[in-house]
Amino acid sequence: MNKTVIGLLAGLFLTACGGGASEGTPPGGNNPPGGGNPPTGSFPAELSGIWQDTLASGGEFTNLYTGVTFNMTQGYSAQFKVRPNGEFYFAHYSQGVSSTCALVSFFDQMVGQAEFTGSRLVLRPRERRLDVQNCANSGSLNLPLSPVSFDAVVSEYETFLDTTAQMELSGGPYPLKFKLLNPTPPANPPQPPQPQDFQLGTETPYQEIIGLWGHRDTEFYNPQTGVYRFPDCCGENRFLRFTAEGYELGMAFVRVNLEGVCKKDLIYFEKGNALFKVTNQRDPDTYQGDVRLEATQARLIVRIRECSSEGGVQEYTLKPLTSYHRWSYTLPAGREDFMLGCHYPGHAWSPYICYTSGQGPWYNLERRQ
Protein backbone atom coordinates (compact mmCIF):
# COMPACT_ATOMS: atom_id res chain seq x y z
CA MET A 1 0.00 0.00 0.00
CA ASN A 2 1.22 3.43 -0.88
CA LYS A 3 1.85 5.28 2.38
CA THR A 4 1.60 8.66 0.71
CA VAL A 5 -1.85 7.94 -0.63
CA ILE A 6 -3.23 6.47 2.59
CA GLY A 7 -1.70 9.35 4.48
CA LEU A 8 -3.46 11.86 2.30
CA LEU A 9 -6.73 10.00 2.66
CA ALA A 10 -6.64 9.39 6.37
CA GLY A 11 -8.25 12.17 8.38
CA LEU A 12 -6.75 11.19 11.59
CA PHE A 13 -7.80 11.14 15.15
CA LEU A 14 -4.55 9.83 16.56
CA THR A 15 -4.85 11.22 20.02
CA ALA A 16 -4.22 8.54 22.57
CA CYS A 17 -7.35 7.19 24.21
CA GLY A 18 -6.15 8.48 27.55
CA GLY A 19 -6.03 12.05 26.27
CA GLY A 20 -2.39 12.68 25.37
CA ALA A 21 -0.61 12.42 22.04
CA SER A 22 0.00 8.81 21.15
CA GLU A 23 3.44 7.41 20.65
CA GLY A 24 4.33 5.58 17.49
CA THR A 25 2.09 7.74 15.33
CA PRO A 26 2.35 6.41 11.78
CA PRO A 27 2.93 8.67 8.81
CA GLY A 28 -0.21 10.31 7.53
CA GLY A 29 -1.83 13.58 6.66
CA ASN A 30 -4.96 15.13 8.12
CA ASN A 31 -7.52 14.68 5.37
CA PRO A 32 -10.66 12.54 5.10
CA PRO A 33 -11.24 9.80 2.54
CA GLY A 34 -11.08 11.14 -0.96
CA GLY A 35 -9.01 11.22 -4.10
CA GLY A 36 -8.84 8.65 -6.84
CA ASN A 37 -11.83 7.76 -8.93
CA PRO A 38 -15.10 8.79 -7.22
CA PRO A 39 -17.33 5.86 -6.25
CA THR A 40 -20.63 5.26 -7.95
CA GLY A 41 -22.51 3.57 -5.10
CA SER A 42 -24.75 4.92 -2.38
CA PHE A 43 -25.11 4.80 1.40
CA PRO A 44 -28.24 5.63 3.45
CA ALA A 45 -28.27 9.41 3.80
CA GLU A 46 -29.50 9.24 7.39
CA LEU A 47 -26.49 7.08 8.30
CA SER A 48 -23.89 9.14 6.47
CA GLY A 49 -21.53 11.26 8.51
CA ILE A 50 -18.90 10.86 11.20
CA TRP A 51 -19.18 7.93 13.60
CA GLN A 52 -16.88 7.60 16.62
CA ASP A 53 -16.24 5.19 19.48
CA THR A 54 -13.78 5.54 22.34
CA LEU A 55 -13.05 3.17 25.19
CA ALA A 56 -10.66 4.15 27.97
CA SER A 57 -9.48 0.57 28.54
CA GLY A 58 -10.48 -2.57 26.78
CA GLY A 59 -9.04 -5.66 28.48
CA GLU A 60 -7.16 -8.38 26.67
CA PHE A 61 -7.29 -8.33 22.89
CA THR A 62 -5.63 -10.34 20.11
CA ASN A 63 -4.86 -8.59 16.85
CA LEU A 64 -6.12 -10.90 14.13
CA TYR A 65 -3.46 -9.94 11.61
CA THR A 66 -0.35 -10.22 13.78
CA GLY A 67 -1.46 -12.75 16.36
CA VAL A 68 -0.18 -10.49 19.14
CA THR A 69 -2.20 -10.62 22.35
CA PHE A 70 -2.02 -7.52 24.53
CA ASN A 71 -3.88 -5.73 27.28
CA MET A 72 -5.50 -2.54 25.98
CA THR A 73 -4.62 -0.50 29.06
CA GLN A 74 -5.14 2.70 27.04
CA GLY A 75 -8.21 1.32 25.31
CA TYR A 76 -9.02 2.20 21.74
CA SER A 77 -10.36 4.99 19.56
CA ALA A 78 -12.25 4.21 16.37
CA GLN A 79 -13.71 6.33 13.61
CA PHE A 80 -15.90 5.67 10.58
CA LYS A 81 -16.47 8.53 8.12
CA VAL A 82 -18.89 7.74 5.33
CA ARG A 83 -20.45 9.87 2.61
CA PRO A 84 -23.81 9.38 0.87
CA ASN A 85 -21.96 8.03 -2.17
CA GLY A 86 -20.52 5.23 -0.02
CA GLU A 87 -16.96 6.54 0.10
CA PHE A 88 -15.58 5.75 3.56
CA TYR A 89 -12.59 6.06 5.84
CA PHE A 90 -12.28 3.63 8.75
CA ALA A 91 -9.66 3.74 11.48
CA HIS A 92 -9.09 1.80 14.66
CA TYR A 93 -6.27 2.70 17.04
CA SER A 94 -5.52 0.60 20.13
CA GLN A 95 -2.70 0.84 22.65
CA GLY A 96 -1.58 -1.17 25.66
CA VAL A 97 1.00 -3.59 27.00
CA SER A 98 1.92 -7.19 26.32
CA SER A 99 3.84 -9.77 28.30
CA THR A 100 7.00 -8.88 26.39
CA CYS A 101 6.58 -5.15 25.68
CA ALA A 102 5.65 -2.10 27.76
CA LEU A 103 4.07 -0.32 24.78
CA VAL A 104 2.12 -1.98 21.99
CA SER A 105 -0.06 -0.11 19.53
CA PHE A 106 -1.98 -1.01 16.41
CA PHE A 107 -3.41 1.45 13.91
CA ASP A 108 -5.68 -0.06 11.25
CA GLN A 109 -6.78 2.26 8.42
CA MET A 110 -8.76 1.63 5.28
CA VAL A 111 -10.55 3.60 2.59
CA GLY A 112 -12.95 2.36 -0.03
CA GLN A 113 -16.64 1.73 -0.61
CA ALA A 114 -19.19 1.01 2.15
CA GLU A 115 -22.49 -0.78 1.80
CA PHE A 116 -25.28 -0.98 4.35
CA THR A 117 -28.15 -3.38 3.70
CA GLY A 118 -30.59 -4.57 6.30
CA SER A 119 -28.47 -5.38 9.33
CA ARG A 120 -25.15 -5.76 7.54
CA LEU A 121 -22.31 -3.28 7.06
CA VAL A 122 -19.75 -4.26 4.43
CA LEU A 123 -16.54 -2.30 3.89
CA ARG A 124 -14.82 -2.93 0.57
CA PRO A 125 -11.34 -1.41 0.92
CA ARG A 126 -9.26 -0.32 -2.01
CA GLU A 127 -6.41 0.51 0.37
CA ARG A 128 -5.70 -0.84 3.84
CA ARG A 129 -2.70 -0.53 6.14
CA LEU A 130 -1.83 -1.67 9.64
CA ASP A 131 0.85 0.26 11.50
CA VAL A 132 2.36 -1.60 14.43
CA GLN A 133 4.52 -0.49 17.32
CA ASN A 134 5.98 -3.38 19.30
CA CYS A 135 9.28 -3.82 21.06
CA ALA A 136 10.34 -6.56 18.65
CA ASN A 137 8.36 -6.02 15.46
CA SER A 138 7.38 -2.48 14.58
CA GLY A 139 6.44 -1.43 11.08
CA SER A 140 3.62 -1.30 8.51
CA LEU A 141 1.68 -4.12 6.92
CA ASN A 142 -0.35 -3.98 3.73
CA LEU A 143 -3.49 -5.90 4.65
CA PRO A 144 -5.65 -7.91 2.21
CA LEU A 145 -8.29 -5.96 0.33
CA SER A 146 -10.99 -8.54 0.96
CA PRO A 147 -14.35 -7.17 2.20
CA VAL A 148 -14.73 -6.56 5.93
CA SER A 149 -18.24 -7.40 7.17
CA PHE A 150 -20.05 -6.55 10.39
CA ASP A 151 -23.45 -7.36 11.80
CA ALA A 152 -24.92 -3.92 12.46
CA VAL A 153 -27.72 -2.78 14.76
CA VAL A 154 -28.69 0.89 14.55
CA SER A 155 -30.65 2.41 17.41
CA GLU A 156 -31.46 5.76 18.96
CA TYR A 157 -28.88 6.96 21.47
CA GLU A 158 -29.40 9.71 24.03
CA THR A 159 -26.40 11.78 25.01
CA PHE A 160 -26.39 14.11 28.00
CA LEU A 161 -27.63 16.92 25.75
CA ASP A 162 -29.27 15.58 22.61
CA THR A 163 -30.32 12.44 20.75
CA THR A 164 -28.24 10.78 18.07
CA ALA A 165 -27.80 7.28 16.59
CA GLN A 166 -25.70 4.35 17.68
CA MET A 167 -24.37 1.70 15.30
CA GLU A 168 -23.37 -1.41 17.21
CA LEU A 169 -21.06 -3.64 15.18
CA SER A 170 -20.25 -7.27 15.86
CA GLY A 171 -19.01 -10.27 13.93
CA GLY A 172 -16.06 -8.38 12.40
CA PRO A 173 -12.47 -7.76 13.45
CA TYR A 174 -13.54 -5.28 16.14
CA PRO A 175 -16.67 -5.05 18.31
CA LEU A 176 -17.71 -1.39 18.23
CA LYS A 177 -20.45 0.94 19.40
CA PHE A 178 -20.23 3.91 17.05
CA LYS A 179 -22.15 7.12 17.77
CA LEU A 180 -23.11 9.52 15.00
CA LEU A 181 -21.48 12.87 15.73
CA ASN A 182 -23.91 15.25 14.04
CA PRO A 183 -27.28 13.85 12.96
CA THR A 184 -29.49 16.10 10.84
CA PRO A 185 -32.24 17.64 13.01
CA PRO A 186 -35.76 16.39 12.21
CA ALA A 187 -37.57 18.64 9.76
CA ASN A 188 -41.04 18.29 11.28
CA PRO A 189 -40.88 17.20 14.92
CA PRO A 190 -44.22 16.87 16.72
CA GLN A 191 -45.61 19.60 18.94
CA PRO A 192 -46.51 18.10 22.34
CA PRO A 193 -49.87 19.12 23.77
CA GLN A 194 -50.21 21.37 26.77
CA PRO A 195 -49.62 19.29 29.93
CA GLN A 196 -52.76 18.58 31.93
CA ASP A 197 -51.41 20.08 35.13
CA PHE A 198 -49.99 23.19 33.42
CA GLN A 199 -51.85 26.43 34.19
CA LEU A 200 -51.92 28.73 31.16
CA GLY A 201 -51.73 32.40 31.97
CA THR A 202 -52.53 35.56 30.04
CA GLU A 203 -49.79 37.88 31.30
CA THR A 204 -46.86 38.92 29.13
CA PRO A 205 -43.49 39.16 30.95
CA TYR A 206 -43.83 41.03 34.22
CA GLN A 207 -42.06 44.35 34.52
CA GLU A 208 -39.93 43.00 37.38
CA ILE A 209 -38.30 40.30 35.21
CA ILE A 210 -37.86 42.28 31.98
CA GLY A 211 -34.16 42.40 31.06
CA LEU A 212 -31.25 40.06 30.44
CA TRP A 213 -30.59 37.00 32.58
CA GLY A 214 -27.59 34.74 32.04
CA HIS A 215 -25.15 32.04 33.01
CA ARG A 216 -21.47 32.55 32.15
CA ASP A 217 -21.05 34.03 28.64
CA THR A 218 -24.21 35.78 27.36
CA GLU A 219 -22.74 37.46 24.27
CA PHE A 220 -22.30 34.49 21.93
CA TYR A 221 -25.39 35.32 19.84
CA ASN A 222 -26.87 38.63 18.68
CA PRO A 223 -30.65 38.24 18.29
CA GLN A 224 -30.91 41.39 16.19
CA THR A 225 -28.29 40.49 13.57
CA GLY A 226 -27.94 36.71 13.90
CA VAL A 227 -24.17 37.10 14.25
CA TYR A 228 -22.67 34.47 16.56
CA ARG A 229 -19.38 33.29 18.02
CA PHE A 230 -18.54 30.17 19.95
CA PRO A 231 -17.27 30.71 23.51
CA ASP A 232 -13.62 29.84 24.07
CA CYS A 233 -14.32 27.20 26.69
CA CYS A 234 -16.01 24.97 28.02
CA GLY A 235 -19.41 23.51 28.72
CA GLU A 236 -22.63 25.49 29.03
CA ASN A 237 -23.36 29.20 28.48
CA ARG A 238 -26.83 30.71 28.21
CA PHE A 239 -28.99 33.81 28.18
CA LEU A 240 -32.71 34.51 28.58
CA ARG A 241 -33.93 37.98 27.74
CA PHE A 242 -37.49 39.08 28.52
CA THR A 243 -39.07 42.06 26.79
CA ALA A 244 -42.54 43.52 27.09
CA GLU A 245 -43.56 41.46 24.05
CA GLY A 246 -41.86 38.13 24.68
CA TYR A 247 -38.47 36.44 25.08
CA GLU A 248 -35.13 35.57 23.45
CA LEU A 249 -33.30 32.46 24.58
CA GLY A 250 -29.85 31.16 23.69
CA MET A 251 -27.59 28.31 24.77
CA ALA A 252 -24.01 27.61 23.70
CA PHE A 253 -22.20 24.42 24.64
CA VAL A 254 -18.54 23.79 23.90
CA ARG A 255 -17.50 20.13 23.54
CA VAL A 256 -20.85 18.38 23.42
CA ASN A 257 -19.58 14.90 22.57
CA LEU A 258 -17.69 12.81 25.09
CA GLU A 259 -16.33 10.26 22.61
CA GLY A 260 -13.98 10.51 19.69
CA VAL A 261 -11.39 12.96 18.48
CA CYS A 262 -13.66 15.10 16.30
CA LYS A 263 -15.22 17.69 18.60
CA LYS A 264 -18.74 19.11 18.43
CA ASP A 265 -19.90 22.51 19.73
CA LEU A 266 -23.36 24.01 19.31
CA ILE A 267 -25.41 27.17 19.68
CA TYR A 268 -29.20 27.09 19.99
CA PHE A 269 -31.39 30.18 19.74
CA GLU A 270 -35.10 30.79 19.81
CA LYS A 271 -37.40 33.76 20.30
CA GLY A 272 -41.13 34.18 20.59
CA ASN A 273 -44.04 34.99 22.86
CA ALA A 274 -44.26 34.30 26.58
CA LEU A 275 -47.40 33.95 28.72
CA PHE A 276 -47.03 33.89 32.51
CA LYS A 277 -49.24 32.88 35.41
CA VAL A 278 -48.51 33.17 39.14
CA THR A 279 -49.56 29.97 40.91
CA ASN A 280 -48.06 30.46 44.36
CA GLN A 281 -45.97 32.75 46.56
CA ARG A 282 -43.29 30.70 48.30
CA ASP A 283 -42.32 33.49 50.71
CA PRO A 284 -42.70 37.28 50.87
CA ASP A 285 -40.02 37.79 48.20
CA THR A 286 -40.44 34.77 45.88
CA TYR A 287 -43.21 34.24 43.32
CA GLN A 288 -43.64 31.09 41.27
CA GLY A 289 -45.84 29.88 38.45
CA ASP A 290 -46.14 28.51 34.94
CA VAL A 291 -44.93 30.05 31.69
CA ARG A 292 -45.55 29.05 28.09
CA LEU A 293 -42.73 29.87 25.66
CA GLU A 294 -44.20 29.93 22.14
CA ALA A 295 -41.28 30.12 19.73
CA THR A 296 -41.71 31.97 16.46
CA GLN A 297 -38.09 31.43 15.39
CA ALA A 298 -35.58 28.68 16.17
CA ARG A 299 -32.03 28.10 14.98
CA LEU A 300 -29.27 25.55 15.59
CA ILE A 301 -25.59 26.14 14.74
CA VAL A 302 -23.17 23.22 14.97
CA ARG A 303 -19.40 23.43 14.75
CA ILE A 304 -17.29 20.34 14.08
CA ARG A 305 -13.61 20.87 14.82
CA GLU A 306 -10.35 18.92 15.01
CA CYS A 307 -11.79 16.73 12.28
CA SER A 308 -9.76 17.50 9.15
CA SER A 309 -11.82 18.57 6.13
CA GLU A 310 -15.08 17.39 7.74
CA GLY A 311 -14.71 20.24 10.20
CA GLY A 312 -16.69 23.44 9.84
CA VAL A 313 -20.00 25.02 10.75
CA GLN A 314 -23.48 23.88 9.78
CA GLU A 315 -26.54 26.04 10.36
CA TYR A 316 -30.10 24.77 10.64
CA THR A 317 -33.37 26.69 10.63
CA LEU A 318 -35.63 24.66 12.91
CA LYS A 319 -39.37 24.34 13.18
CA PRO A 320 -40.42 26.66 16.05
CA LEU A 321 -42.11 24.76 18.87
CA THR A 322 -43.90 25.65 22.08
CA SER A 323 -42.56 24.60 25.48
CA TYR A 324 -44.07 24.64 28.96
CA HIS A 325 -42.12 25.52 32.09
CA ARG A 326 -42.25 26.41 35.72
CA TRP A 327 -40.70 29.72 36.79
CA SER A 328 -39.53 31.29 40.04
CA TYR A 329 -38.57 34.91 40.70
CA THR A 330 -37.08 36.35 43.89
CA LEU A 331 -37.32 40.11 44.41
CA PRO A 332 -34.10 42.13 44.85
CA ALA A 333 -34.74 42.45 48.59
CA GLY A 334 -34.29 38.70 48.84
CA ARG A 335 -31.21 38.37 46.56
CA GLU A 336 -32.81 38.74 43.14
CA ASP A 337 -32.73 35.75 40.83
CA PHE A 338 -34.79 34.05 38.15
CA MET A 339 -35.16 30.30 37.72
CA LEU A 340 -36.67 28.40 34.81
CA GLY A 341 -38.06 24.97 35.60
CA CYS A 342 -38.13 21.96 33.31
CA HIS A 343 -40.80 19.91 35.04
CA TYR A 344 -43.12 19.36 32.07
CA PRO A 345 -42.61 17.02 29.07
CA GLY A 346 -40.59 18.66 26.32
CA HIS A 347 -40.17 18.60 22.56
CA ALA A 348 -37.31 17.88 20.15
CA TRP A 349 -35.40 21.06 21.05
CA SER A 350 -36.11 20.98 24.80
CA PRO A 351 -32.71 19.48 25.75
CA TYR A 352 -31.07 22.68 24.49
CA ILE A 353 -33.41 24.74 26.69
CA CYS A 354 -33.53 22.47 29.71
CA TYR A 355 -30.03 21.07 30.12
CA THR A 356 -29.38 21.50 33.86
CA SER A 357 -26.00 19.76 34.43
CA GLY A 358 -27.70 17.06 36.47
CA GLN A 359 -28.77 19.60 39.10
CA GLY A 360 -32.48 18.80 38.97
CA PRO A 361 -35.32 20.39 37.00
CA TRP A 362 -34.39 24.03 37.72
CA TYR A 363 -31.65 26.20 36.32
CA ASN A 364 -30.70 29.52 37.83
CA LEU A 365 -29.92 32.70 35.88
CA GLU A 366 -28.28 35.86 37.17
CA ARG A 367 -29.50 39.31 36.20
CA ARG A 368 -27.14 40.91 33.70
CA GLN A 369 -29.18 43.98 32.64
Side-chain angles (χ1 to χ4, degrees):
M1 180 176 296
N2 185 314
K3 280 195 175 185
T4 302
V5 174
I6 195 76
L8 289 172
L9 296 180
L12 188 119
F13 60 98
L14 255 186
T15 298
C17 303
S22 64
E23 298 183 45
T25 301
N30 196 30
N31 299 305
N37 296 322
T40 57
S42 63
F43 198 85
E46 67 275 13
L47 299 182
S48 301
I50 301 166
W51 298 81
Q52 300 188 129
D53 184 19
T54 299
L55 189 65
S57 61
E60 190 171 87
F61 182 77
T62 299
N63 186 278
L64 297 177
Y65 303 102
T66 65
V68 173
T69 297
F70 67 107
N71 192 327
M72 287 195 293
T73 55
Q74 297 300 313
Y76 67 80
S77 185
Q79 192 175 78
F80 176 48
K81 298 179 180 181
V82 59
R83 295 172 175 166
N85 62 7
E87 180 78 348
F88 81 89
Y89 167 68
F90 177 94
H92 185 284
Y93 178 81
S94 54
Q95 181 176 307
V97 299
S98 71
S99 59
T100 60
C101 188
L103 176 62
V104 179
S105 68
F106 295 91
F107 184 43
D108 184 3
Q109 299 177 90
M110 53 180 143
V111 295
Q113 188 73 21
E115 300 173 3
F116 189 93
T117 54
S119 59
R120 197 77 173 158
L121 173 66
V122 180
L123 306 180
R124 302 185 185 277
R126 64 175 179 269
E127 298 185 56
R128 189 175 183 188
R129 191 181 84 220
L130 179 67
D131 290 279
V132 179
Q133 178 167 333
N134 198 341
C135 293
N137 299 298
S138 297
S140 297
L141 304 173
N142 293 331
L143 298 184
L145 300 183
S146 52
V148 180
S149 299
F150 297 91
D151 296 319
V153 177
V154 177
S155 59
E156 192 173 83
Y157 181 83
E158 292 188 6
T159 74
F160 71 96
L161 186 59
D162 57 11
T163 300
T164 185
Q166 175 177 276
M167 183 188 297
E168 186 168 0
L169 302 180
S170 60
Y174 310 105
L176 295 166
K177 291 184 178 180
F178 278 126
K179 283 79 176 179
L180 185 60
L181 182 61
N182 186 31
T184 301
N188 190 31
Q191 171 61 63
Q194 179 177 302
Q196 289 187 354
D197 52 348
F198 177 87
Q199 298 185 46
L200 181 62
T202 59
E203 300 289 335
T204 54
Y206 303 110
Q207 182 63 40
E208 290 84 354
I209 68 170
I210 287 177
L212 176 65
W213 301 84
H215 171 69
R216 299 178 69 178
D217 186 348
T218 63
E219 299 181 354
F220 54 85
Y221 190 90
N222 187 319
Q224 284 67 51
T225 65
V227 173
Y228 59 86
R229 63 165 177 80
F230 286 90
D232 294 333
C233 188
C234 294
E236 170 196 10
N237 305 267
R238 65 171 71 242
F239 67 82
L240 178 57
R241 179 182 288 104
F242 290 111
T243 66
E245 296 77 24
Y247 74 98
E248 298 167 341
L249 179 152
M251 193 272 275
F253 205 105
V254 177
R255 186 62 195 274
V256 173
N257 61 302
L258 300 178
E259 297 191 43
V261 171
C262 295
K263 309 299 191 298
K264 174 182 174 181
D265 312 317
L266 65 82
I267 292 173
Y268 175 78
F269 171 77
E270 72 173 48
K271 65 180 296 184
N273 306 309
L275 289 178
F276 282 80
K277 182 178 179 65
V278 175
T279 60
N280 65 289
Q281 186 173 356
R282 193 183 68 187
D283 56 48
D285 297 315
T286 302
Y287 294 82
Q288 297 181 324
D290 285 342
V291 58
R292 184 180 77 175
L293 301 180
E294 180 187 9
T296 57
Q297 180 185 132
R299 188 182 184 196
L300 179 66
I301 303 156
V302 178
R303 179 177 67 177
I304 305 299
R305 56 187 171 86
E306 300 179 38
C307 198
S308 67
S309 63
E310 275 82 5
V313 175
Q314 299 182 33
E315 302 181 20
Y316 305 94
T317 299
L318 306 178
K319 175 184 176 181
L321 297 171
T322 297
S323 58
Y324 301 88
H325 302 271
R326 296 285 293 161
W327 64 272
S328 177
Y329 171 70
T330 300
L331 294 165
R335 197 179 70 83
E336 184 181 34
D337 68 10
F338 182 86
M339 297 172 63
L340 193 68
C342 297
H343 300 73
Y344 298 114
H347 52 64
W349 323 135
S350 289
Y352 305 132
I353 304 172
C354 283
Y355 172 69
T356 58
S357 304
Q359 301 301 310
W362 293 97
Y363 66 80
N364 183 279
L365 299 169
E366 302 172 351
R367 182 178 283 280
R368 297 297 177 85
Q369 292 179 1

